[in-house]
Amino acid sequence: MATKQLSTKHLLGIKYITPADIDLIFETADQFKEVINRPIKKVPSLRDVTIANLFFENSTRTRISFELAERRLSADTINFSASSSSVSKGESLLDTVNNILSMKVDMVVMRHPAPGAHMYLSQRINACIINAGDGTHEHPTQALLDAYSIRERLGSVKGKKVVIVGDIKHSRVALSNIYCLLKLGAEVKLCGPPTLMPKHIESLGVQIEHNLRKALAWCDVANVLRIQLERQKTKYFPSLREYSMYYGLNRELLNTLPKPITILHPGPINRGVEITSDLADSEHAIILQQVENGVAIRMAALYLLADKRD
Ligand code: CP
């Protein structure tokens, strides 16, 4: 396994890691992908490590993927849901985490609705923190598995044209993808209604294209995002039906493009809104490969970060 090390002891966001860190995570994930396709899918690498999975927001893919990655590495794990904990009795985040850490926990995987919650904790506690999504801010392991899946499908990320379609304003997946893809040398366009585009986002080095057909005709890869109605406090478009007419992907639209494209979606999918059901299940989409790669990417991140513990 890797003799190189990450430049960081936490994974708070793609903004805070280097292109060399991303390459190292990918090279390590290649080896773990081979492991999880063996009849015995387990290695003893983290058998002396205890990891707490703290989920203050709902999750299917990320939570199960981290739990599986930890088990495949032989780590001891504890799982925490805010809804069944003493958070509902008014305990602070820092007190909750410090109580869990006093039980000799080494690493914390956390999803939290507050942007910056992980940065706040990393400045106050000793354990390694891994961001499994912080509000509308970052979702680093999702961006890593997305870029890894593009590399697997197209051979590399460098030089590829990627369009991120949909609710950019409320999406932590979009921001982490932008940082990750640009660090790996891809070109990035964003496509969606003007009301769902964050102000000054071009300053990150991306372009905006509001016409979906033009954006798809330009790209090699489209990463299609869900409309995050649960985070929208006001109406950003008249109806889901109208959103779907202008920004939904379907086969008829793909048939008008000059070349085939690869479609990603981080999930959960709202079939018939941002993408039609038949397209989501088609040969163009690598949605389930993304989920499979998520386990290898998270094994790689956990393994490399465990090596950075004090
Ligand atoms: N992609 C993603 O973060 O999915 P979950 O919310 O189900 O974890």
Side-chain angles (χ1 to χ4, degrees):
M1 274 294 164
T3 50
K4 291 184 251 175
Q5 287 210 327
L6 294 176
S7 67
T8 170
K9 65 175 269 194
H10 305 287
L11 182 54
L12 303 177
I14 303 291
K15 183 175 182 180
Y16 312 106
I17 63 175
T18 65
D21 288 331
I22 300 172
D23 286 340
L24 177 58
I25 292 170
F26 285 4
E27 285 162 25
T28 311
D30 287 341
Q31 297 175 58
F32 283 128
K33 184 142 186 197
E34 193 266 313
V35 168
I36 59 180
N37 281 294
R38 288 181 198 160
I40 297 172
K41 303 171 177 55
K42 209 163 168 147
V43 286
S45 313
L46 297 194
R47 72 180 162 201
D48 59 341
V49 176
T50 304
I51 304 174
N53 299 307
L54 312 184
F55 278 73
F56 293 86
E57 259 191 0
N58 293 340
S59 170
T60 300
R61 279 146 291 272
T62 311
R63 181 176 182 145
I64 292 173
S65 184
F66 267 114
E67 286 180 29
L68 259 183
E70 291 154 6
R71 286 180 201 187
R72 302 278 192 244
L73 291 166
S74 306
D76 290 325
T77 63
I78 50 169
N79 298 317
F80 164 100
S81 294
S83 55
S84 57
S85 74
S86 292
V87 169
S88 58
K89 300 177 197 163
E91 191 171 49
S92 73
L93 174 63
L94 189 55
D95 280 340
T96 300
V97 173
N98 267 329
N99 274 273
I100 292 168
L101 292 182
S102 67
M103 299 180 220
K104 309 296 175 210
V105 166
D106 303 293
M107 303 173 82
V108 173
V109 173
M110 184 169 84
R111 172 168 286 190
H112 198 280
H118 302 73
M119 181 68 82
Y120 167 82
L121 275 186
S122 72
Q123 292 161 351
R124 288 164 178 81
I125 64 170
N126 239 342
C128 161
I129 313 273
I130 298 169
N131 183 355
D134 60 332
T136 56
H137 181 223
E138 280 227 40
H139 190 350
T141 55
Q142 180 68 46
L144 289 167
L145 74 89
D146 290 346
Y148 184 82
S149 301
I150 294 171
R151 168 185 178 263
E152 184 177 70
R153 177 79 160 213
L154 301 180
S156 77
V157 178
K158 193 175 168 62
K160 298 295 179 300
K161 294 180 167 131
V162 182
V163 61
I164 305 173
V165 184
D167 184 357
I168 314 293
K169 190 182 183 78
H170 300 97
S171 174
R172 54 193 172 211
V173 174
L175 189 58
S176 286
N177 260 269
I178 291 169
Y179 287 131
C180 192
L181 292 164
L182 293 178
K183 284 184 189 213
L184 293 176
E187 287 181 66
V188 181
K189 274 190 186 177
L190 309 176
C191 182
T195 48
L196 290 176
M197 212 51 79
K199 283 187 188 136
H200 313 302
I201 190 83
E202 297 101 318
S203 66
L204 295 180
V206 298
Q207 292 179 298
I208 294 175
E209 170 57 71
H210 294 298
N211 181 304
L212 179 62
R213 214 203 72 78
K214 282 189 191 164
L216 295 179
W218 169 84
C219 76
D220 302 300
V221 176
N223 197 347
V224 184
L225 306 176
R226 180 176 66 90
I227 293 293
Q228 304 213 9
L229 290 174
E230 75 278 17
R231 295 193 202 278
Q232 296 184 7
K233 295 187 175 56
T234 179
K235 257 190 167 315
Y236 290 90
F237 47 84
S239 69
L240 283 179
R241 198 172 130 88
E242 271 143 322
Y243 177 83
S244 193
M245 276 167 60
Y246 288 98
Y247 293 104
L249 272 73
N250 57 59
R251 255 194 204 277
E252 294 70 46
L253 184 53
L254 252 66
N255 288 341
T256 69
L257 302 180
K259 60 178 189 311
I261 62 168
T262 299
I263 298 172
L264 282 78
H265 193 308
I269 301 177
N270 288 146
R271 288 174 184 264
V273 178
E274 67 270 13
I275 187 167
T276 54
S277 201
D278 68 319
L279 194 54
D281 297 330
S282 75
E283 70 286 2
H284 297 285
I286 56 167
I287 297 167
L288 293 180
Q289 289 93 318
Q290 289 172 258
V291 177
E292 180 186 341
N293 287 336
V295 178
I297 283 289
R298 289 176 175 119
M299 286 174 81
L302 290 163
Y303 172 80
L304 292 163
L305 287 164
D307 206 31
K308 300 283 292 185
R309 284 174 298 145
D310 294 331

